[in-house]
Amino acid sequence: MKKIQNKQWIYSKIPEKSVDQSHYTLEENILTISDLKSGQAILKAAYFSIDPYMRIQQSRNNTWEEPHPLNTVQRGAVVCQIVGINDSNTTLKKGDWVLSYTGWQEYAITEISNLRLLDPKEVSVTTALGVLGMPARIAYFGFIETGLPKKGETVVVSGASGAVGQVVVQIAKIKGCKVIGIAGSEEKTKFLKEIIGAHEVINYKKYPTAKEMHQELRRLSPEGIDIYYDNVGGYITDAVFEHINLNARIIICGQISQYLGGLDTPEMGPRFLHKILYQRATIKGILARDYNDRMDEMLSEMIPWVQNGLIQYHETIIEGFDKLPEALNMLFFGKNKGKLIVKV
Ligand SMILES: NC(=O)c1ccc[n+]([C@@H]2O[C@H](COP(=O)([O-])OP(=O)(O)OC[C@H]3O[C@@H](n4cnc5c(N)ncnc54)[C@H](OP(=O)(O)O)[C@@H]3O)[C@@H](O)[C@H]2O)c1
């Protein structure tokens, strides 16, 4: 009867602002391979996805669902290898790479029906967490189906160098748009311009008020903004609203500037809805889960784009299971470029 020593990060305390190890408890337990029921597999985690929604789910109030329950394993997507399996009707086997939603634990027992098989010969398995995973799904469907891009239009992307943003910028380029990417450092704006190919870039730290940001946007896009893909919110979004064109489309994908405590006590901003009225603009919130059943459709277009280099991507990979809570906090201080992943 093979026994496996397991470690788990248990979410145990609601953070008020930043999140760190004090909001988690490290626990150990033993898993027994012979305990596997029919239709189950035991997985060994290799790469953990670190996502802003984890902090959203630590708010006190319901968001799109109830807050993450306290004293349970931190939920999240993980790229794993199958180390044991109990099912004679599946083609999955020991050693296969899979995507699972088993959270912050070194090993997990789960139903085989929850797994997505990954092919390491096709692309790196880490891409299932970023450029070919959930962030890409919301970038792809959100931009194309809510943004309704037309060739020659001007697109602004906030949080442009992150997991979602880097994909949006490049899809906008593929669709023939002019793209302005906003990010929080010179290194990131350089990456956006030189690797990702944004036409114009703004380091928002150099324009710390809505007025200054608006002036810079106007300088870079005298023609106005047709599509705004918002990952960030706050004053950056206020500044964009000042500069939208007739029939502009505003896509609310994320509001990361508000997550560290702001979700339960929202920051009051300028009342800008009159701009929406004058310009007959539309604002729509989008959620990746609404496109869950269209993953194959997204992948059929995105995999060739990634394989032939039309879409470039960056991943920030941190090593160590013990680093998981610290890694989550990194997202809110701009410490990642592209998809943030923890490797064990
Ligand atoms: N709607 C959905 O279903 C869905 C799905 C996935 C993600 N999202 C949202 O999309 C956004 C991006 O997610 P992601 O996974 O791609 O994360 P990410 O962009 O890879 O990482 C977060 C980045 O946000 C920026 N940031 C943090 N605090 C900021 C602030 N106060 N002001 C401006 N920028 C700030 C930082 O970059 P800088 O250095 O540029 O500041 C940081 O690196 C998040 O808001 C997330 O909640 C939504």
Side-chain angles (χ1 to χ4, degrees), residues 52 134 138 162-164 183-184 188 204 231-232 253-257 259 286-288 331-332 334 336 338:
M134 180 278 283
I138 198 59
V164 175
K188 288 184 181 183
Y204 70 85
N231 287 311
V232 162
C253 174
Q255 298 280 288
I256 199 164
S257 70
Y259 295 174
I286 52 169
L287 266 190
L331 288 173
F332 307 98
N336 63 306

Side-chain angles (χ1 to χ4, degrees), residues 256-310:
I256 199 164
S257 70
Q258 310 297 301
Y259 295 174
L260 291 187
L263 288 158
D264 291 317
T265 48
E267 177 185 287
M268 298 309 288
R271 311 284 157 98
F272 46 52
L273 291 179
H274 59 109
K275 296 284 175 190
I276 304 295
L277 160 67
Y278 308 149
Q279 301 296 48
R280 284 75 119 195
T282 53
I283 312 183
K284 191 171 189 298
I286 52 169
L287 266 190
R289 63 176 49 198
D290 295 340
Y291 304 98
N292 276 354
D293 57 358
R294 297 177 65 189
M295 200 65 193
D296 289 345
E297 188 183 334
M298 184 276 282
L299 289 175
S300 67
E301 188 136 42
M302 285 285 295
I303 290 175
W305 283 346
V306 170
Q307 283 176 327
N308 67 25
L310 206 53

Side-chain angles (χ1 to χ4, degrees), residues 158-173:
S158 62
S161 72
V164 175
Q166 65 178 354
V167 178
V168 177
V169 167
Q170 295 177 92
I171 296 178
K173 279 188 59 202

Side-chain angles (χ1 to χ4, degrees), residues 139-145 147-155 167-179 199 227 249 301-302 305 310-311:
Y140 180 90
F141 289 114
F143 182 70
I144 292 175
E145 299 195 353
L148 302 171
K150 292 192 257 328
K151 197 167 175 212
E153 287 190 319
T154 296
V155 177
V167 178
V168 177
V169 167
Q170 295 177 92
I171 296 178
K173 279 188 59 202
I174 290 169
K175 297 293 171 188
C177 299
K178 169 180 165 180
V179 193
H199 298 95
I227 303 176
R249 284 84 72 203
E301 188 136 42
M302 285 285 295
W305 283 346
L310 206 53
I311 290 210

Side-chain angles (χ1 to χ4, degrees), residues 205-224:
K205 302 257 170 80
K206 284 167 66 181
Y207 307 94
T209 64
K211 191 171 169 209
E212 289 162 285
M213 179 60 77
H214 174 216
Q215 280 166 353
E216 184 60 359
L217 282 166
R218 213 162 55 184
R219 188 181 75 77
L220 296 178
S221 57
E223 71 284 4

